[in-house]
Amino acid sequence: MLKSILLTLAILFATPQLVFAQGQSDPKEVKTCTNCHDTPAVLGVLHTAHGVKADTRTKIGEEGCQSCHGESTAHAGRPPEGQPRPKPAVVFSGPAASPVAERNKACSGCHQGGEVVHWAGSAHDTADVPCSACHASHKTQDPVLGKTTQAPICFTCHAEQRAAAVKPSHHPVTEGVMSCSDCHNPMGSTGPHLLRADTVNDTCYGCHDEKRGPFLWEHAPVTEDCTICHTPHGSVQPTLLKQRAPYLCENCHNSSAHSSQPLSGANLPGRPQAARQLVLHGCVNCHSEVHGSNHPSGIRMGR
Ligand code: HEC
Ligand code: HEC
Ligand code: HEC
Ligand code: HEC
Ligand code: HEC
Ligand code: HEC
Ligand code: HEC
Ligand code: HEC
Ligand code: HEC
Ligand code: HEC
C-alpha cells in the first residue's frame, strides 16, 4: 500500500505532464514561458500576427510559444539536479541555434503558400539563409516588411548592392520610396535572380510600362534586356546607365562609320572627325527615342 502511494508520488513528480495537468506549469500556456521570459524583447511577439489567440492558425492558443519553438516541456520544467536546463526543440538565434533546416521547418510548417511558395530550392534556401535572418518574429513591427526598414537588413549580406545604392543615380530604395522586394521576392520566384516577374524586362515594365511597346520601330537590345544598358541598383552615370553614350552605344554600333558623314572633316589620329563630333553631341541628342519610336518616320529613333 505504502509502496503504491510512493510510486504514484514518484510518477507525479517525475512526469512533468502530470504536474502540468494541474495547471502549474503547462508548456502549452504562454504564461508558463513568460513567467521567466518577461522582457519586452520577448513579449513583443504577443502583439504580432503570431500572437493572436483568436486566430487558430497561429496555434498560440493551443500550443503557446511552442508553436514556433517546438517541444519545450523539459526546458520549462525544473532541470535535473546539477544539469543544465535542456534547450527548447527549436532555438533560432545565438550560439545554441538549431540547424538552419530545423529552424526553417518550424516556419514553413505553416508557411508554404503565397509569397513563400517558391522557397524550396531558391537562392536563399540553398545558401542556408534562415527565415529569421530577415524576419524578426519578436518585434511588434517586422522591419523587413517595411519600406524604410527593409534595405538595411539586405545590406548586411549584400555589400555590392549597398555600395550601388548610394551612387548618384539609383532607384529610390534608400529613400524609402520603394524596396528591394518591389523587384525581388527574397523567398523565391520562377524568374531569374529572385525577380518577381519571369524576366528582367517584365519586372521593369511593372513600373515603366511606357517602355514596353510594341513600337513601330523597335530597338533590339531594349526588347531583349533592359540591363544591357542599365544597372538596376545604382550607377555613377546618369539614368542608371552602365556606361555613358557614345561608349555605351559603341559596344554595338560603329560610330566611325556613322552615315551622317557630312559631319566629318579632317581626321583625328585614329578617329575620323565625324566620331569626334558625335562624342561631343552624344548619340541620344539625335536618337532621342532610344527605347523605340512610334513616329511614322522614327526609323532611326530620332523622333
Ligand atoms: C523556469 C524558467 C524558464 C521557463 C519556464 C522557460 N524558460 Fe526559456 N530559458 C530560461 C533560461 C534560464 C534560459 C537561458 C538558458 C541558457 O542560457 O542556457 C532560457 C532560454 C530560452 C531560449 C534560448 C535558448 C538558447 O539557448 O539560446 C528560448 C528560445 C527559450 N528559453 C524559450 C522558452 C519557451 C518557448 C518557454 C516556454 C515553453 C520557456 N523558454 C520557458 C528559463 C526558462
Ligand atoms: C503555427 C503556424 C505558424 C508558424 C509556426 C509560423 N507562422 Fe508566420 N504566420 C502565421 C499566421 C496564421 C500568420 C497570419 C497570416 C495572415 O494574417 O494572413 C502569420 C504571419 C506571418 C508573417 C506576416 C506578419 C505580418 O505582420 O503581416 C510573417 C512575415 C511570418 N508569419 C513569418 C513567420 C516566420 C519567419 C516563422 C518562423 C520563425 C513563422 N512565421 C512561423 C502562422 C505561423
Ligand atoms: C532574404 C530575406 C528573407 C528570407 C530569408 C525570408 N523572407 Fe519572408 N519576406 C521577406 C520580405 C522582404 C518580405 C516582404 C515581401 C513583400 O514586399 O511583399 C517577406 C514576406 C513574407 C511573408 C508574407 C508577409 C505578408 O505580408 O503577407 C511571409 C509569410 C514570410 N515572408 C515568411 C517567410 C518564411 C516562412 C521564410 C523561411 C522559409 C522567409 N519568409 C524567409 C524577406 C525574407
Ligand atoms: C512566430 C514564431 C515564434 C513564436 C510564436 C515565438 N518565438 Fe521566440 N523566437 C522566434 C525567433 C525567429 C527567434 C529569433 C530571434 C528573433 O527573430 O526575434 C526567437 C527567439 C526567442 C528567444 C531567444 C532570444 C535569443 O536571442 O536567443 C526567446 C527566449 C524566445 N524566443 C522566447 C519565446 C517565448 C517566451 C515565446 C512566447 C511568448 C516565443 N518565443 C514565441 C520565433 C518565435
Ligand atoms: C544572411 C545573409 C543574407 C540576407 C540578410 C539577405 N541575403 Fe540575399 N543572398 C544571400 C546569399 C548567401 C545568397 C546566395 C549567394 C549570392 O548570390 O550572393 C543571396 C542571394 C540573393 C539574390 C540573388 C539571387 C540570384 O539568383 O542571383 C538576391 C536577388 C537576393 N539575395 C536578395 C536579397 C534581398 C532583397 C534581401 C533582403 C530582403 C536579402 N537578399 C537578404 C544572403 C543574404
Ligand atoms: C528596380 C528593380 C530592382 C530593385 C529595386 C532591386 N533589384 Fe536587385 N536585381 C534587379 C535585377 C534586374 C537583377 C538582375 C540583373 C542584374 O543585376 O544585372 C538584380 C540582381 C540582384 C542580385 C544578384 C546580383 C548578381 O549579380 O547576381 C542581388 C544580390 C540583388 N539584386 C539584391 C538586391 C537588393 C539587396 C536590393 C535592395 C537594396 C535590390 N536588389 C533592389 C532588380 C532590382
Ligand atoms: C516598383 C517600381 C519600379 C520598378 C519595378 C522599376 N522601376 Fe525604375 N524607377 C522607379 C522609380 C520610382 C524611379 C524614380 C523616378 C523618379 O525619380 O522620378 C525609377 C527610375 C528609373 C530610371 C531613371 C533613373 C534616373 O536616375 O533618372 C531608370 C533608368 C529605371 N528606373 C530603370 C528601371 C529598370 C531597368 C527596371 C527593371 C530592372 C526598373 N527601372 C524597374 C520605379 C521602378
Ligand atoms: C540601348 C540601351 C538601352 C536599353 C537596352 C534600355 N535603355 Fe533605358 N535609357 C537608355 C538611355 C541612353 C537613356 C537616357 C536617355 C536620355 O538621356 O535621354 C535611358 C533612360 C531610361 C529611363 C529614364 C528616362 C526615361 O526615358 O524615362 C528609363 C525609366 C529607362 N531608360 C528604362 C528602361 C527600361 C525599362 C528598359 C528595358 C525595357 C530600358 N530602359 C532599356 C538606354 C537604354
Ligand atoms: C547591345 C547592342 C546595342 C547597343 C548597346 C545599342 N544598340 Fe542600337 N541597335 C542594336 C541592334 C541589334 C539594332 C538593330 C540593327 C538592325 O536592325 O540592323 C540597333 C539599331 C539602332 C538604330 C537604328 C538603326 C537602323 O538601321 O534603323 C539606332 C539609331 C541605334 N540602334 C542607336 C543606338 C544608340 C543611340 C545606342 C546607345 C544609346 C545604341 N543604339 C545602343 C544594338 C545595340
Ligand atoms: C547629329 C545627329 C546625330 C548624332 C549625334 C548621332 N546620329 Fe546616328 N544618325 C543620325 C542620322 C540623321 C541618321 C540617319 C542617317 C541616314 O539615314 O543616312 C543616323 C543613323 C544612325 C544609325 C543607322 C545606321 C547607319 O549607320 O545608317 C545608327 C546605328 C546610328 N545612327 C547610331 C548612332 C550612334 C551610336 C551615335 C553616337 C555615337 C549616333 N548615331 C549619333 C544622326 C545622328
Side-chain angles (χ1 to χ4, degrees), residues 228-229 242-255:
I228 289 173
C229 297
K242 285 185 163 171
Q243 274 178 297
R244 202 180 281 274
Y247 308 106
L248 175 70
C249 316
E250 285 173 345
N251 289 323
C252 302
H253 297 290
N254 183 356
S255 63

Side-chain angles (χ1 to χ4, degrees), residues 20 27 66 74 187 196 208 248:
F20 298 143
Q66 295 185 124
M187 267 99 61
R196 288 208 168 263
H208 301 288
L248 175 70

Side-chain angles (χ1 to χ4, degrees), residues 123-124 127 129 133-134 144 150 153-154 156-158 180 184 186 193-194:
H124 287 126
V129 175
C134 293
V144 87
Q150 177 185 102
I153 296 166
C154 313
T156 57
C157 297
H158 294 293
C180 313
H184 297 287
H193 302 292
L194 297 176

Side-chain angles (χ1 to χ4, degrees), residues 151 154-155 158 160-161 171 173 178-180 183-184 193 195 200 203 227 232-233 242:
C154 313
F155 291 155
H158 294 293
E160 211 177 289
Q161 280 70 27
H171 273 106
V173 171
M178 58 192 283
S179 54
C180 313
C183 292
H184 297 287
H193 302 292
L195 288 173
V200 168
T203 306
T227 58
H233 303 119
K242 285 185 163 171

Side-chain angles (χ1 to χ4, degrees), residues 23 25 45 48 56 72 86 112 126 132 156 166 169 171 204 230 248 258 272 276 292-293 301:
S25 180
V45 71
T48 68
T56 52
S72 307
Q112 278 160 359
T126 36
S132 54
T156 57
V166 297
S169 172
H171 273 106
C204 311
H230 295 287
L248 175 70
H258 195 277
R276 189 167 167 266
S293 169
M301 285 163 269

Side-chain angles (χ1 to χ4, degrees), residues 136-158:
S137 303
H138 280 267
K139 293 211 172 126
T140 330
Q141 293 284 331
D142 186 349
V144 87
L145 301 180
K147 274 202 196 309
T148 50
T149 43
Q150 177 185 102
I153 296 166
C154 313
F155 291 155
T156 57
C157 297
H158 294 293

Side-chain angles (χ1 to χ4, degrees), residues 66-87:
Q66 295 185 124
S67 57
C68 284
H69 289 282
E71 170 56 39
S72 307
T73 308
H75 171 78
R78 191 202 303 260
E81 194 63 39
Q83 304 260 324
R85 181 177 294 281
K87 306 286 175 205

Side-chain angles (χ1 to χ4, degrees), residues 191-228:
H193 302 292
L194 297 176
L195 288 173
R196 288 208 168 263
D198 282 344
T199 62
V200 168
N201 278 28
D202 282 342
T203 306
C204 311
Y205 296 149
C207 297
H208 301 288
D209 197 41
E210 77 287 355
K211 304 284 188 282
R212 185 196 292 268
F215 295 107
L216 198 51
W217 311 106
E218 294 201 318
H219 193 191
V222 177
T223 25
E224 192 182 324
D225 189 337
C226 310
T227 58
I228 289 173

